[in-house]
């Protein structure tokens, strides 16, 4: 499968969000990545439903929602209602992860699980068949523009092996410090979906950066 590109709107220009969404619509990007932060699980607050509702009205690509919030079960149906195609929850926020991923699927969205840099991929051994996506954080979540953590390559390779050994079919996504220079190595390590914020929106020509990420490999 050719890899997918998911620009993260966290680094977009919030005064001209409509223009940035239009740029993504016209670009070779596959998904739009939305980072939802509650100021509790992560030391930052991003944006919520009123903004997501507006994004959904304009976006013509699937919304890939990354929830960095405690107790995500409370909001699954609302995120779905507001247009989420994929809803990913952090392993570290879920006491009953299987219940949560089932609830996401029941809502009609694809279910993803996110692992912080310190959480080993083996924690997902018993749920590999039940998820549509596993997102590997390659920075500590909370902010755009951070430095890529190099141990993420090995972690992605291990996850890919686990997927093959178990005949599972989830997509592998990576998020944090991803750019044109490390994208190819990430794809070769086993990544299916590259998320990038800073590298796209702070480049001189964001649509061209998306193109350059898309043709890697
Ligand atoms: C960080 C977010 C990321 C962030 C990535 O917690 O999950 O999606 O926007 O930004 P960059 O690509 O700038 O590291
Ligand atoms: Zn994210």
């Amino acid at each position: 499968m050719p890899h997918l590109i998911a620009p993260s709107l966290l680094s977009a220009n919030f005064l001209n969000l409509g223009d940035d969404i239009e740029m993504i619509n016209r670009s070779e990007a596959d998904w739009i990545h939305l980072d939802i932060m509650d100021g509790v699980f992560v030391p930052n607050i991003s944006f919520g439903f009123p903004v997501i509702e507006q994004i959904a009205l304009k976006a013509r690509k699937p919304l890939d929602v990354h929830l960095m919030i405690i107790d995500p079960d409370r909001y699954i149906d609302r995120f779905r209602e507001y247009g989420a195609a994929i809803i990913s929850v952090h392993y570290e926020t879920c006491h009953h992860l299987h219940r949560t991923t089932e609830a996401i699927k029941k809502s009609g969205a694809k279910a993803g699980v996110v692992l912080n840099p310190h959480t080993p991929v083996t924690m997902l051994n018993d749920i590999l068949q039940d998820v549509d996506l596993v997102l590997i954080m390659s920075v500590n979540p909370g902010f755009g523009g951070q430095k890529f953590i190099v141990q993420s390559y090995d972690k992605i390779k291990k996850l890919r092996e686990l997927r093959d050994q178990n005949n599972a079919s989830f997509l592998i996504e990576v998020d944090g410090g991803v750019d044109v220079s490390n994208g190819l190595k990430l794809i070769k390590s086993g990544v299916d979906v590259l998320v990038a914020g800073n590298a796209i929106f702070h480049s001189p020509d964001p649509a061209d950066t998306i193109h350059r990420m898309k043709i890697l490999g």
Side-chain angles (χ1 to χ4, degrees):
M1 186 195 99
H3 63 277
L4 308 179
I5 308 293
S8 164
L9 279 191
L10 193 61
S11 297
N13 179 351
F14 281 75
L15 282 178
N16 290 300
L17 205 45
D19 292 348
D20 280 346
I21 295 167
E22 204 41 61
M23 180 280 294
I24 296 175
N25 283 343
R26 285 195 305 261
S27 78
E28 291 166 68
D30 299 279
W31 297 348
I32 300 183
H33 186 84
L34 302 184
D35 291 296
I36 312 303
M37 305 178 182
D38 65 356
V40 179
F41 176 59
V42 290
N44 199 6
I45 297 174
S46 56
F47 49 85
F49 294 116
V51 176
I52 297 165
E53 198 178 11
Q54 297 301 311
I55 293 170
L57 287 175
K58 202 162 178 72
R60 294 199 303 272
K61 315 252 169 157
L63 299 182
D64 173 33
V65 175
H66 173 191
L67 296 183
M68 286 160 271
I69 62 175
I70 59 162
D71 207 359
D73 302 64
R74 291 172 65 190
Y75 298 107
I76 289 167
D77 288 334
R78 266 180 94 187
F79 279 108
R80 177 62 182 160
E81 210 178 292
Y82 282 71
I86 305 127
I87 299 174
S88 297
V89 293
H90 269 259
Y91 171 85
E92 299 84 8
T93 61
C94 295
H95 293 297
H96 306 284
L97 183 59
H98 183 264
R99 179 181 289 155
T100 304
T101 54
E102 291 302 300
I104 294 172
K105 288 191 283 185
K106 193 158 169 258
S107 81
K110 299 277 184 203
V113 178
V114 193
L115 299 181
N116 268 344
H118 72 276
T119 306
V121 293
T122 48
M123 300 311 279
L124 299 180
N125 274 357
D126 294 335
I127 202 173
L128 292 173
Q129 306 289 346
D130 301 306
V131 296
D132 299 301
L133 178 139
V134 176
L135 170 50
I136 299 291
M137 285 311 299
S138 42
V139 297
N140 287 296
F143 303 92
Q146 300 183 83
K147 191 171 175 288
F148 180 84
I149 297 173
V150 289
Q151 289 92 322
S152 310
Y153 293 118
D154 281 343
K155 195 164 173 180
I156 289 159
K157 281 184 201 152
K158 277 187 203 149
L159 182 61
R160 185 74 175 221
E161 278 164 27
L162 271 183
R163 184 173 80 181
D164 293 346
Q165 286 159 8
N166 289 275
N167 279 324
S169 56
F170 57 83
L171 294 175
I172 300 175
E173 185 174 34
V174 65
D175 183 6
V178 174
D179 57 26
V180 178
S181 72
N182 60 18
L184 184 58
K185 191 167 172 189
L186 285 165
I187 293 161
K188 291 199 162 142
S189 303
V191 166
D192 303 299
V193 189
L194 296 171
V195 176
N198 211 54
I200 290 173
F201 289 101
H202 295 175
S203 69
D205 185 343
D208 183 59
T209 304
I210 292 169
H211 169 70
R212 288 193 289 133
M213 294 185 115
K214 190 67 188 167
I215 59 172
L216 289 171

